[in-house]
Amino acid sequence: MNLSEKDKKNIWHPFTHQKDREDNIVIIKGEGVYLYDEQDKKYLDAISSWWVNLHGHNNPHINKKIVDQLSKIEHLLFSGFTHEPAIMLAEKLLQFLPANQSKIFYSDNGSTAVEVAIKMVLQYWNNNNKAKTIFLAFDGAYHGDTFGSMSVGARNVFNQAFDKLLFDVVHLPLPSQANIEEIKASVKLISKSNKVAGFIFEPLVQGAAGMRMYEAEYLDQIISLCNEMDILTIADEVMTGFGRTGKFLASDYLVNKPDILCLSKGLTAGYMPLGVTSCADKIFQAYVQDDKTKTFFHGHSYTANPLACAAAIAGMELMENEATWEKINLIHRMHTEFKNRISPHKKLIDVRVMGTILALELNTQEKSHYLNAAADKISDYFIERGVILRPLGNVFYVLPPYVINREELEFIYKNIIDFLNNE
Ligand code: PMP
């Protein structure tokens, strides 16, 4: 049996329709923006391997930091014990996060970073003897695959089998100039019940919903109202963090800073699973009590894995390089020029750019949807030409590692034009 056959025999892959499943491509190595398969065919990783990779595959600086850490300690329990990489990473992150953030809580992926945030908020109110349990979230939201993170997400095909078991959440439309007053009026109305605990959002870009973008100005107004109404705010920066939107965080475009932030994906530059939930001091203080039952009883075996923290520190060091930001700005400029060029194409409903993200919405017979039949066609077309562009239904997008160069971006754009003209 070859590797691909063994894969098919033994492994159940995520987000993969299992009936008549095609063979998965076996990747042997990676280098920069490229992945190489068994036949040494190279694929340009135009979506950063599910939005995680920042500084390229097999990055020498990050590799070295992980190997150095490996020779010291690979993992240890994180209660009663601590270690240098976790301490140094927390200090570094806090320098980059909004000034109101005071504590770093570690977990091990994006869903758990969100799960922690939800529990932190609920227990904050519980510890303060207030019966607040309702969450506000946006239509179309995606916050992860655990029960809490599914609950605050949109109700859709991802979670329809679990619908009855998800807790109730009030979903608000994505804000715009046209509906912001209406949204604020409904937030005011709901909060009269004094039961609204928190508001969670993907700031400025909803990733899984199809890279839906909205303006900071309106999010700012909702956060400001939440502050007034004593509703805690959570920014899920799992996808948008670490330069994706052109600033270190999407929240950096906001005047009103969230009480809690969730980070993962780019946190370790795409190397290892790690999650962070940071919070403002008032939240932490609600847990500093004589009563031991007020403790935050949440933790994972691999919390703050030292190798993952070492990768994250190395990734942050690269984020501090001027050259990385020049690249982020170049990607943004080239995306914007391409958007202007391609927008009039009759096969496109919409083209959107935010920072290093370019999204193109294809005009199909069906409505825009994750299961839109165009997805397989788009994916196959680009894979054949050596570009990984795994679409979200009829929305396909370019979200590259920051080490990508001009020619590589042009190569992706050229293939997009060919696809639109020929398919
Ligand atoms: N939040 C957002 C905004 C995400 O995009 C994702 C993953 N796509 C998650 C949470 C969940 O992260 P993970 O897949 O690491 O659990």
Side-chain angles (χ1 to χ4, degrees):
M1 245 194 259
N2 64 25
L3 282 176
S4 183
E5 287 160 350
K6 284 187 188 174
D7 176 89
K8 200 166 202 164
K9 179 168 178 283
N10 299 322
I11 303 179
W12 185 349
H13 285 259
F15 284 97
T16 305
H17 183 217
Q18 295 299 327
K19 179 132 195 293
D20 306 325
R21 198 193 94 187
E22 285 179 22
D23 289 349
N24 286 303
I25 297 166
V26 180
I27 295 298
I28 302 297
K29 63 176 188 201
E31 183 96 54
V33 293
Y34 293 105
L35 296 173
Y36 295 82
D37 74 8
E38 289 174 297
Q39 283 75 42
D40 215 31
K41 176 176 171 179
K42 65 175 184 179
Y43 301 87
L44 205 169
D45 188 357
I47 60 164
S48 300
S49 284
W50 268 353
W51 325 343
V52 298
N53 193 288
L54 301 186
H55 310 296
H57 297 280
N58 212 348
N59 181 293
H61 178 69
I62 305 174
N63 289 3
K64 182 174 182 312
K65 289 278 169 151
I66 296 171
V67 173
D68 288 350
Q69 181 55 42
L70 190 56
S71 64
K72 292 180 190 155
I73 175 70
E74 77 299 333
H75 188 65
L76 65 139
L77 68 171
F78 206 63
S79 184
F81 294 86
T82 189
H83 53 80
E84 189 180 352
I87 296 166
M88 299 316 287
L89 176 60
E91 186 178 56
K92 205 173 241 323
L93 282 173
L94 286 170
Q95 286 164 6
F96 280 80
L97 298 183
N100 68 341
Q101 298 298 291
S102 90
K103 286 284 185 292
I104 298 292
F105 189 98
Y106 287 110
S107 60
D108 46 21
N109 61 67
S111 303
T112 55
V114 169
E115 204 74 30
V116 165
I118 292 169
K119 288 175 69 175
M120 230 177 223
V121 165
L122 290 172
Q123 195 178 333
Y124 168 88
W125 293 117
N126 194 274
N127 283 5
N128 281 316
N129 302 315
K130 294 219 170 113
K132 289 189 176 220
T133 55
I134 296 174
F135 274 89
L136 308 178
F138 281 134
D139 285 342
Y142 176 82
H143 295 288
D145 295 339
T146 53
F147 265 83
S149 59
M150 280 197 294
S151 293
V152 289
R155 300 297 185 267
N156 57 24
V157 64
F158 294 161
N159 50 48
Q160 66 183 20
F162 319 107
D163 193 48
K164 286 203 167 58
L165 298 172
L166 304 180
F167 59 74
D168 285 341
V169 167
V170 177
H171 285 99
L172 308 168
L174 220 52
S176 66
Q177 189 181 15
N179 65 11
I180 184 66
E181 292 309 324
E182 218 176 296
I183 292 174
K184 287 197 288 185
S186 55
V187 172
K188 272 187 197 155
L189 191 67
I190 304 158
S191 55
K192 275 204 183 121
S193 66
N194 240 335
K195 291 205 165 67
V196 184
F199 165 48
I200 183 165
F201 50 88
E202 294 158 272
L204 311 195
V205 188
Q206 287 189 316
M211 301 295 157
R212 286 170 79 202
M213 299 173 188
Y214 64 103
E215 285 172 47
E217 181 186 340
Y218 307 115
L219 180 57
D220 245 327
Q221 292 187 35
I222 303 176
I223 295 175
S224 166
L225 181 60
C226 286
N227 292 342
E228 226 176 277
M229 299 288 162
D230 217 11
I231 298 168
L232 295 177
T233 53
I234 305 169
D236 175 355
E237 295 255 12
V238 168
M239 193 278 281
T240 49
F242 301 90
R244 267 297 154 215
T245 65
K247 294 200 183 207
F248 184 70
L249 298 174
S251 297
D252 293 338
Y253 290 95
L254 299 170
V255 178
N256 297 296
K257 303 304 179 190
D259 298 303
I260 294 179
L261 283 135
C262 305
L263 304 169
S264 189
K265 292 194 185 279
L267 173 60
T268 61
Y271 264 67
M272 299 212 166
L274 187 67
V276 153
T277 309
S278 69
C279 69
D281 195 50
K282 75 166 179 185
I283 294 170
F284 178 71
Q285 291 307 329
Y287 293 83
V288 185
Q289 302 205 21
D290 291 330
D291 182 353
K292 282 191 174 171
T293 66
K294 307 287 186 186
T295 303
F296 191 45
F297 292 108
H298 187 109
H300 300 278
S301 313
Y302 283 99
T303 293
N305 174 261
L307 299 173
C309 291
I313 293 169
M316 285 294 288
E317 285 165 353
L318 295 175
M319 288 307 298
E320 288 174 302
N321 277 356
E322 203 46 45
T324 302
W325 289 97
E326 279 165 16
K327 263 316 191 35
I328 289 171
N329 291 335
L330 173 75
I331 298 167
H332 175 68
R333 278 200 309 278
M334 287 188 61
H335 277 353
T336 308
E337 280 164 23
F338 181 65
K339 173 188 153 173
N340 293 340
R341 230 183 326 146
I342 202 72
S343 285
H345 202 289
K346 60 181 187 314
K347 290 228 182 102
L348 295 171
I349 305 172
D350 191 31
V351 184
R352 313 182 266 277
V353 171
M354 172 105 218
T356 66
I357 308 167
L358 162 74
L360 304 105
E361 197 165 335
L362 200 64
N363 195 356
T364 64
Q365 307 291 6
E366 303 167 54
K367 64 178 180 44
S368 296
H369 186 265
Y370 185 79
L371 293 181
N372 188 302
D376 288 342
K377 199 168 121 187
I378 299 169
S379 190
D380 293 348
Y381 182 92
F382 285 96
I383 284 290
E384 224 170 88
R385 285 153 186 83
V387 182
I388 303 175
L389 262 192
R390 201 173 187 272
L392 297 154
N394 58 318
V395 175
F396 58 118
Y397 59 94
V398 183
L399 189 152
Y402 305 150
V403 291
I404 197 164
N405 64 31
R406 222 172 239 288
E407 293 69 39
E408 289 155 348
L409 277 169
E410 290 293 2
F411 178 73
I412 301 171
Y413 300 152
K414 180 188 170 304
N415 275 292
I416 291 175
I417 294 170
D418 289 349
F419 171 79
L420 292 173
N421 289 342
N422 301 323
E423 285 299 303

